[in-house]
Amino acid sequence: LRSFDRQSAQRLIGILDNEISKVDRLEMVLAVVGTMKAGKSTVINAIVGTEVLPNRNQPMTTLPTLIRHAPGRVVPLLSFPKPGPIIRLATQLHVRLCQLEQEERLDELDLYNEADGRDLIQRIIGASDPSIPGHCEGQGEIFAFLRDLNDVARLANDPAIGLRLPLDEYQAVDDLPVIEVEFTHLADAPIPGGGTFSLLDTPGHNEFGASVALMRIVREQLARASAVLAVLDYTQLKSEAEEEVRQELFAVAGHIDDRLFLIVNKFDQRDRHGMTADELRRHVSGALMEGRVDPLRVFPVSARYAYLANLALSNLADDGVLPSPKANAWVEDFGHLALGGFWEEQLGNASKVRAAATKLWQRSQFDLPIRQVVRKAGREAAIITLRSAVAKLTEHGR
């Protein structure tokens, strides 16, 4: 007979409560895990078909964040059901920042040397009773919310501040920030049986100094997910950070079986001496994952190509033309990649732009994970959710 100490029992209760919540909604949760530079946000944006997560050099995932497919919702909506712990942290930051301001030591903070960071610091100093919105609608508001949330975490983690992030209070899936938006690649494929499909963006293994608390939260979310999509960086497959990701995957591989998938991003940076796609699948499956993942569940892709192609095709479908590159920096990136050196002269030719975007999508090789992971998960969301719950009952009932 298996015995539990209090901590183990509470963890098990949390995992099973999490499964109850997912089963109630028939919500299939695909956890996306990887290092900070592997391109997790770009992969998620490519899966969704639009930019729901900002790409930024600084960490952008303090808390795991759900991105839920919501049919018909074109304008994304972010909800934050449990702001209390972050509000308390902001209150503590207010006290500490006021002290540093009086001591004329604000310039010791790394964030103070950034324009956005300096603005946030001044806002916290000026707000003795900080508040956090429970809802944000639209790309601009959501990006600002996520930026501020992650910069609050960076501030708390600064040696001159030394506050603890309340990560342990965000282990239940219902407590996490959630962004609801229609996934382009599921728009024409309604999920049967009332099921729901969500991505779970997890903190990178090298974000915020890879703190023990943060890694514990990532492990918990992996243990609670219905399936896992790991994003590896093709250019960094032998790095220490990528090895840490693989070790975390080893810990869950036996429990999720055929629900573990690997994307090898930045495959577009392969040169003529590099492995072919099939060779890379076998290498990742055998040498890196020690045979724990079928080569058919390894996908070499360029998420950047897929993301830019999606944006171009979406704008063409909605407006017939691409937006001005002056106000939309991605248009220039797309132009250089898809249309070449004289891209500006060709933007007005919708048929040529559409053909170039379609070709860029094909070059991304992203269609395969969309069909074999995302669309399949959408079709089988209810079944996968129930299978996940049964697997966890079996695992923890022994």
Side-chain angles (χ1 to χ4, degrees):
L1 192 67
R2 187 177 178 185
S3 61
F4 296 93
D5 57 27
R6 180 182 293 273
Q7 184 176 4
S8 299
Q10 288 176 338
R11 177 178 182 271
L12 174 57
I13 291 170
I15 289 175
L16 297 181
D17 281 345
N18 202 64
E19 291 305 305
I20 291 172
S21 178
K22 288 192 296 180
V23 169
D24 283 343
R25 289 192 298 264
L26 293 178
E27 181 168 28
M28 188 276 185
V29 177
L30 178 64
V32 184
V33 61
T35 60
M36 191 178 85
K37 296 293 187 180
K40 284 191 295 101
S41 294
T42 308
V43 166
I44 290 173
N45 288 336
I47 290 174
V48 175
T50 188
E51 191 171 22
V52 291
L53 296 179
N55 289 295
R56 191 183 183 207
N57 288 330
Q58 298 295 341
M60 280 303 295
T61 317
T62 301
L63 297 178
T65 302
L66 276 170
I67 302 94
R68 181 176 292 148
H69 171 53
R73 174 165 283 283
V74 177
V75 179
L77 174 69
L78 182 145
S79 303
F80 191 25
K82 191 177 180 181
I86 301 298
I87 291 175
R88 290 192 291 273
L89 175 63
T91 302
Q92 294 173 310
L93 278 171
H94 168 80
V95 174
R96 185 68 182 124
L97 288 172
C98 287
Q99 291 173 345
L100 291 175
E101 184 181 45
Q102 290 174 358
E103 298 166 4
E104 298 184 350
R105 295 174 52 205
L106 287 177
D107 58 356
E108 294 180 15
L109 301 169
D110 288 342
L111 208 59
Y112 193 74
N113 298 313
E114 303 173 17
D116 288 340
R118 193 177 305 116
D119 175 68
L120 176 64
I121 288 169
Q122 293 301 332
R123 281 189 280 133
I124 294 175
I125 289 174
S128 57
D129 186 19
S131 62
I132 292 178
H135 300 276
C136 297
E137 190 166 12
Q139 186 187 74
E141 288 188 12
I142 290 174
F143 283 14
F145 174 90
L146 294 174
R147 181 196 65 218
D148 285 352
L149 181 63
N150 285 277
D151 284 348
V152 161
R154 291 175 62 200
L155 267 178
N157 201 50
D158 194 291
I161 299 288
L163 292 174
R164 186 184 68 85
L165 299 177
L167 294 172
D168 289 338
E169 300 193 52
Y170 289 97
Q171 297 197 24
V173 69
D174 290 334
D175 295 335
L176 302 175
V178 56
I179 300 171
E180 294 182 299
V181 66
E182 181 175 75
F183 289 19
T184 300
H185 300 290
L186 292 177
D188 61 348
I191 296 178
T196 304
F197 175 68
S198 296
L199 302 171
L200 180 67
D201 184 24
T202 64
H205 280 58
N206 48 352
E207 294 187 22
F208 301 106
S211 69
V212 173
L214 193 60
M215 290 304 96
R216 187 168 65 248
I217 296 301
V218 171
R219 290 189 195 105
E220 284 298 308
Q221 294 304 329
L222 286 178
R224 296 168 185 229
S226 308
V228 174
L229 177 67
V231 181
L232 303 179
D233 184 340
Y234 173 75
T235 68
Q236 300 289 328
L237 286 178
K238 296 182 180 180
S239 71
E240 182 178 342
E242 296 292 294
E243 172 62 22
E244 290 176 358
V245 172
R246 291 196 294 274
Q247 291 303 318
E248 297 297 336
L249 296 177
F250 288 163
V252 299
H255 304 306
I256 58 178
D257 191 26
D258 61 347
R259 289 174 283 121
L260 172 60
F261 306 92
L262 274 70
I263 274 184
V264 185
N265 191 27
K266 305 182 186 180
F267 190 58
D268 53 291
Q269 297 188 34
R270 167 188 176 269
D271 61 26
R272 61 190 178 89
H273 301 294
M275 289 179 281
T276 65
D278 284 339
E279 289 170 340
L280 181 60
R281 289 188 189 98
R282 291 193 293 270
H283 173 70
V284 170
S285 170
L288 299 185
M289 292 302 297
E290 301 178 1
R292 304 182 198 203
V293 177
D294 190 309
L296 295 178
R297 297 203 303 275
V298 179
F299 304 98
V301 304
S302 170
R304 183 168 179 260
Y305 285 10
Y307 159 69
L308 291 171
N310 276 334
L311 285 179
L313 291 169
S314 176
N315 277 270
L316 288 170
D318 293 341
D319 305 319
V321 294
L322 297 190
S324 167
K326 292 182 179 179
N328 299 269
W330 68 266
V331 176
E332 181 174 353
D333 294 336
F334 168 80
H336 283 297
L337 277 174
L339 297 169
F342 299 99
W343 62 272
E344 289 177 287
E345 301 172 9
Q346 303 176 67
L347 285 185
N349 188 331
S351 61
K352 191 163 189 175
V353 172
R354 185 176 292 104
T358 301
K359 187 173 182 179
L360 188 64
W361 171 258
Q362 293 168 347
R363 287 169 59 197
S364 77
Q365 301 189 55
F366 216 85
D367 188 58
L368 200 58
I370 288 294
R371 285 190 288 107
Q372 295 189 4
V373 181
V374 176
R375 283 180 173 267
K376 183 178 180 181
R379 289 194 307 270
E380 302 176 5
I383 295 172
I384 294 172
T385 302
L386 294 173
R387 281 180 56 204
S388 172
V390 170
K392 288 178 175 57
L393 284 171
T394 303
E395 174 193 350
H396 297 290
R398 290 198 298 265

